Amino acid sequence: MLPSLLAVFAHPDDESLLAGGVLAQHAAAGARTAVVTATWAPDSRRAHELADALAVLGAGTPRLLGYNDARNPEAAPGRPRLVDAPLDQAVGHLVAHIRDFKPDVVIGHDALGQLTGHPDHVRTHQITLLAVEAAGLAHLHPEAGPPWQPTALYAATHPESGVGLLGPLLEGVGKAVLAVPDSYVTTSVDVTSWADVKWRAILAHRGEVARKRPLPGILARLPEADRNQIIQTEHFTRLAPGPTKGNPAQLSV
């Protein structure tokens, strides 16, 4: 049995683009999978599209923190932007989902905020790091339920050698291209067998597919062979949660 997965990403479509293959693979093997999305309101268009994408991936129903997008005030009108929300509040909300779902593994954004460095991606990475540790400590956020410590935390990322076709495509629409050194990647997963499922999940984000600048729209305009080359591999960096035993004598201050 593959481990249960809880994916934590900033926006609807991040889950399909960055970890859709892994989520589909685990769900098909009978593992529990779920997705927490930091922005967009439950009654928004993108939340409904997210529900369709998760149905394709077998990842249950949306779990939305409901914060506003840093760049789109229509995401959750009247709600604070994720980047402006009190950090401890956002961490507490995510801790509640971790303790409720009890995942073996949590996956999320990397420290760069993926290739484009979106501020919501960066903030979600920070919140996830803190929440994974806090979830295992009973004295932190006791209102969120009994403690639960995931055994692993993985950050979805892009190695410099793996940017490939994405680099010029993103630059062509005025976006940044931020990648990590290859040595930063600890796990690369060939999801070719799940590429069709992953692509159908991406297509479920219909509003983004119809636009020119978002990645779903960019991918939709590519030849199938080029698109498959981009989506068939998912890269991750393992970030160990919880305490790690070592030799106290080696520590000097």
Side-chain angles (χ1 to χ4, degrees), residues 134-165:
L137 298 173
H139 292 296
L140 293 178
H141 304 285
E143 75 287 350
W148 175 264
Q149 182 63 71
T151 59
L153 168 62
Y154 286 87
T157 194
H158 293 84
E160 292 170 346
S161 67
V163 172
L165 296 173

Side-chain angles (χ1 to χ4, degrees), residues 69-80:
D69 189 298
R71 296 172 176 169
N72 188 342
E74 297 179 0
R79 291 276 293 159

Side-chain angles (χ1 to χ4, degrees), residues 125-188:
H125 167 77
Q126 297 165 348
I127 291 166
T128 304
L129 285 178
L130 294 171
V132 167
E133 182 175 13
L137 298 173
H139 292 296
L140 293 178
H141 304 285
E143 75 287 350
W148 175 264
Q149 182 63 71
T151 59
L153 168 62
Y154 286 87
T157 194
H158 293 84
E160 292 170 346
S161 67
V163 172
L165 296 173
L166 270 179
L169 289 170
L170 293 173
E171 290 172 344
V173 294
K175 294 192 175 187
V177 179
L178 307 176
V180 301
D182 286 15
S183 59
Y184 189 76
V185 175
T186 60
T187 306
S188 294

